[in-house]
Amino acid sequence: NPGRTASTAAALMIGLALVTFVSIFAAGAKASVDAAVDSGFSGAFVVKSSSGFGTVPAAAAASIRAVPGVARVAQVRSVETKVKGIGGTAQISGIDTVNLPPMFTFGWVKGSEAVLGALGSRSAAISKQYAESHGLKVGEPIVAVSAQGRRVPLVVRGIYDDKSDLLGDITVSLAVARSGFGATQDQVAFVATAPGASQAAVGQRISRLLAARYPTVESQTKQEYKDDVASQINQLLSFFYVLLSLSVIVSLFGIVNTLALSIYERTRELGLLRAVGMQPGQLRRSIRWESAIIAVFGTLMGIVIGVVFAIAVVIAFDEKTITPVLPWVQLVAIVVLGLLAGILAARKPAKRAARLDVLDAIAVA
């Protein structure tokens, strides 16, 4: 029954296509973060909330600046705002215009790092995505409205393409973020060490300082920061795997059902095969191979569809700079697990087929 077999394989195909898509998307996100940090960040440490969701007290940056071996500390703040004449909300980033540009390299559509260093009380830089979405250009005035209802007139001085996703839709100076939008706490702070200073020793001093004065804040090296982001992505990935595994399990029951129906419909055929010399073990193997073929067909089709869909979505999300990465180890593991699952699904139907009474099976009309 080719139609029934195809439907069974399709169920497995859909589940594994989603698994493949999520795996590729997660691998691309982790690779993009690694590339952005390695190419854009030249500092030594990232200071952030231990929970990953909170803020960093503004006083922490001042305390870290006094640590021996620290050359500069750059604070970044974040707050939501509305822009007059534009629907929805925009993310405002307030940056240390003196210390951040030397530590971070951003891609620019119009302008350069010098734009960030020259941000004044009435100037801003905006992201490429925000500029394209709302038709904004360099030199154009905008009016941002804070959560407190304060109107802050700004002029666009540059357009950046931030691969690290550090900056929001609109970037202003730290002073404007504080006075105009009420941003008094840091989202994150970046630390650079002085030439010749031991990074390990400076890191230990910063960690002791934070543990004593700011227990909700932690300091991470570049590698630790990348590992932390990867860990968060892996946690989300595991959640999706658990959900998608349910669809795969349901599809395996479909394979069992298809094989059971196939054995029932071919009872006379199987009896004749036994009558002419096929051994029970050979019959079990033939049923297992049939199940394996269905599983592998569904698995391979699922991987192909998942890869195509993932690449299409990554291309569509070009603004987020997610690099398409094929996690070969995971894809091979999916194929192997699909094959093993097919063999496991065939266990009971194969045992039932091998136990058929030869004479009764032949006598079936």
Side-chain angles (χ1 to χ4, degrees), residues 14-356:
I14 293 171
L16 292 181
L18 293 173
V19 171
T20 302
F21 166 74
V22 171
S23 299
I24 295 175
F25 200 80
K30 288 187 283 188
S32 298
V33 170
D34 288 352
V37 172
D38 289 335
S39 63
F41 179 48
S42 59
F45 303 103
V46 179
V47 178
K48 64 182 191 64
S49 168
S50 302
S51 66
F53 301 102
T55 57
V56 178
S63 300
I64 294 172
R65 285 191 183 94
V67 172
V70 171
R72 62 176 73 242
V73 179
Q75 300 158 266
V76 178
R77 297 177 182 177
S78 182
V79 65
E80 282 194 347
T81 185
K82 285 183 174 291
V83 177
K84 188 177 179 181
I86 297 177
T89 60
Q91 197 73 23
I92 286 275
S93 291
I95 66 166
D96 183 334
T97 57
V98 175
N99 294 306
L100 185 66
M103 272 196 280
F104 250 99
T105 301
F106 301 102
W108 288 86
V109 179
K110 295 287 184 180
S112 65
E113 262 73 23
V115 172
L116 296 181
L119 289 178
S121 60
R122 291 293 181 264
S123 56
I126 62 175
S127 70
K128 173 187 173 184
Q129 183 184 9
Y130 195 73
E132 291 179 348
S133 299
H134 304 293
L136 298 175
K137 298 179 181 179
V138 172
E140 197 163 342
I142 58 175
V143 177
V145 183
S146 69
Q148 297 78 22
R150 188 180 297 113
R151 293 171 179 258
V152 182
L154 300 167
V155 177
V156 177
R157 299 300 184 189
I159 300 175
Y160 50 81
D161 186 11
D162 179 16
K163 305 297 183 184
S164 64
D165 206 23
L166 171 67
L167 303 180
D169 301 311
I170 303 171
T171 298
V172 297
S173 68
L174 209 60
V176 173
R178 180 178 58 252
S179 62
F181 301 95
T184 57
Q185 301 293 312
D186 297 334
Q187 193 70 28
V188 66
F190 300 97
V191 181
T193 55
S198 169
Q199 183 171 317
V202 175
Q204 290 176 355
R205 295 185 195 116
I206 293 174
S207 296
R208 286 197 295 268
L209 168 70
L210 295 177
R213 299 187 189 178
Y214 311 99
T216 61
V217 180
E218 65 178 355
S219 172
Q220 296 179 333
T221 63
K222 288 171 64 173
Q223 187 58 49
E224 288 172 342
Y225 178 72
K226 291 190 293 185
D227 292 343
D228 186 44
V229 173
S231 174
Q232 295 176 27
I233 295 175
N234 288 335
Q235 289 178 10
L236 186 62
L237 187 62
S238 299
F239 173 74
F240 278 108
Y241 277 163
V242 170
L243 292 179
L244 294 175
S245 64
L246 298 177
S247 67
V248 175
I249 292 172
V250 171
S251 67
L252 295 181
F253 280 111
I255 293 177
V256 174
N257 184 58
T258 296
L259 293 175
L261 290 173
S262 177
I263 292 169
Y264 175 78
E265 293 171 350
R266 294 155 53 198
T267 299
R268 179 178 173 81
E269 174 192 333
L270 296 177
L272 291 172
L273 288 173
R274 288 293 311 282
V276 297
M278 177 177 273
Q279 298 299 312
Q282 292 175 312
L283 182 56
R284 282 195 296 269
R285 284 196 295 274
S286 70
I287 299 298
R288 283 197 293 265
W289 273 113
E290 183 176 345
S291 177
I293 290 171
I294 295 173
V296 169
F297 178 73
T299 300
L300 293 179
M301 288 297 295
I303 288 178
V304 170
I305 293 175
V307 168
V308 172
F309 185 48
I311 292 176
V313 170
V314 166
I315 292 174
F317 272 77
D318 178 62
E319 293 84 358
K320 296 299 183 183
T321 65
I322 297 178
T323 306
V325 175
L326 295 180
W328 292 107
V329 174
Q330 289 172 290
L331 296 181
V332 171
I334 290 173
V335 173
V336 173
L337 290 175
L339 176 61
L340 293 176
I343 294 174
L344 182 64
R347 183 174 180 178
K348 190 171 183 179
K351 186 181 294 186
R352 180 179 179 277
R355 289 178 177 176
L356 287 174

